[in-house]
Amino acid sequence: MRKPIIAGNWKMNKTVAESRELVTALLPKVKNAKCDVVVCVPFTDIAAVAELTKGSCVAVGAQNVAWADSGAFTAEISAAMLKEAGATYVIIGHSERRQYFGETDKTVNMRLVQALANGLKPILCVGEMLAEREGGKTEEVCRTQVVGAFEGISAADAAKTVIAYEPVWAIGTGKTATDAQANETIGYIRSVVKELYGAAVADGMRIQYGGSMNAKNVDGLMAQPEIDGGLIGGASLKADDFAYIVNAAE
Ligand code: 13P
């Protein structure tokens, strides 16, 4: 049995003051959560949100991590910095990083290695663009991204990773993959993990769906056998909506 994990990806939203407001509203609404709950917040919010969520069921994540320990890497944030600020999770390889900031399977792999070496729990994002889905390339794209991300990573480390399947065409568009599409592709991703690491790691790995997941479609998605949770963008910015999704995941 895999414990579901619901994570919010706030992206570039919420100042420190706004983050306190949102988390203060959220905490009482999710206190009986039966799944793992994470909020992945902007770097500048991590310390404040970690302070507020201390002792609660809500863990704090970052949205990226540097591949190096320290040094001349302007604007990067190291794993040690994230941990000291209070993050325990980190999103790696989000499609927005891949599309707008030159993230590649190689840099995703380097960041994943670094997160695991430092005891941060990675949420690795993979997913195809619209033209790739329409061109019948969904499986090929997901395979390449998963194989590239895990290069050189041991089975024991891979087992600590959460994967988020986020079809790019469903992100922020209000268009969700159908329950069946999401289930099928996540099942395929699990089969790739099985090829790489064997059945035990594949069966234990939590794979989320992400892309316009909301209070209206969460029940259908979470009822799918392969879907172990969600990575939520827009709907994670509203306490009621995010709490509804969390409480729907058992
Ligand atoms: P939306 O839920 O806003 O579509 O964003 C999904 C996402 O990219 C989460 O990482």
Side-chain angles (χ1 to χ4, degrees):
M1 277 301 287
R2 299 182 291 265
K3 188 177 187 189
I5 174 166
I6 299 291
N9 174 10
W10 290 6
K11 309 191 179 183
M12 194 177 72
N13 293 289
K14 304 293 173 188
T15 64
V16 172
E18 291 165 345
S19 76
R20 288 205 179 99
E21 210 174 302
L22 174 54
V23 169
T24 303
L26 179 68
L27 286 177
K29 297 180 201 289
V30 297
K31 64 176 192 297
N32 298 318
K34 295 189 179 63
C35 60
D36 287 341
V37 186
V38 189
V39 286
C40 297
V41 305
F43 294 128
T44 45
D45 295 345
I46 293 173
V49 173
E51 177 76 35
L52 274 177
T53 53
K54 205 177 279 171
S56 79
C57 68
V58 177
V60 183
Q63 298 171 13
N64 201 0
V65 62
W67 58 70
D69 287 339
S70 65
F73 297 96
T74 299
E76 289 285 299
I77 307 284
S78 74
M81 292 169 185
L82 295 181
K83 289 201 296 181
E84 189 182 70
T88 52
Y89 283 83
V90 62
I91 293 173
I92 294 175
H94 192 277
S95 62
E96 287 148 18
R97 301 299 316 169
R98 296 179 191 257
Q99 273 184 284
Y100 309 139
F101 301 100
E103 201 77 64
T104 65
D105 289 335
K106 178 64 190 163
T107 58
V108 167
N109 171 249
M110 290 160 72
R111 295 184 197 278
L112 187 57
V113 166
Q114 182 72 351
L116 289 163
N118 286 276
L120 286 166
K121 298 173 199 164
I123 299 176
L124 165 69
C125 300
V126 301
E128 81 286 1
M129 317 256 272
L130 182 60
E132 292 165 340
R133 173 154 291 261
E134 288 175 343
K137 296 210 154 57
T138 297
E139 294 192 345
E140 182 186 325
V141 169
C142 290
R143 164 180 292 275
T144 301
Q145 291 179 352
V146 168
V147 170
F150 283 114
E151 197 181 327
I153 291 174
S154 70
D157 272 346
K160 297 173 192 152
T161 305
V162 173
I163 296 180
Y165 167 58
E166 299 205 305
V168 178
W169 48 273
I171 294 178
T173 57
K175 247 196 206 178
T176 324
T178 64
D179 300 344
Q181 278 174 328
N183 191 65
E184 186 188 359
T185 307
I186 289 177
Y188 176 74
I189 290 168
R190 197 178 303 287
S191 78
V192 175
V193 174
K194 185 175 172 186
E195 277 175 42
L196 293 175
Y197 294 113
V201 172
D203 292 343
M205 184 169 285
R206 295 183 296 179
I207 309 183
Q208 303 170 307
Y209 169 77
S212 299
M213 195 161 169
N214 58 39
K216 291 200 179 72
N217 58 32
V218 60
D219 290 319
L221 288 162
M222 286 305 297
Q224 301 299 312
E226 294 290 351
I227 303 181
D228 304 318
L231 184 57
I232 326 293
S236 73
L237 299 174
K238 296 192 187 114
D240 281 332
D241 289 12
F242 189 61
Y244 184 95
I245 295 167
V246 165
N247 292 319
E250 300 191 25

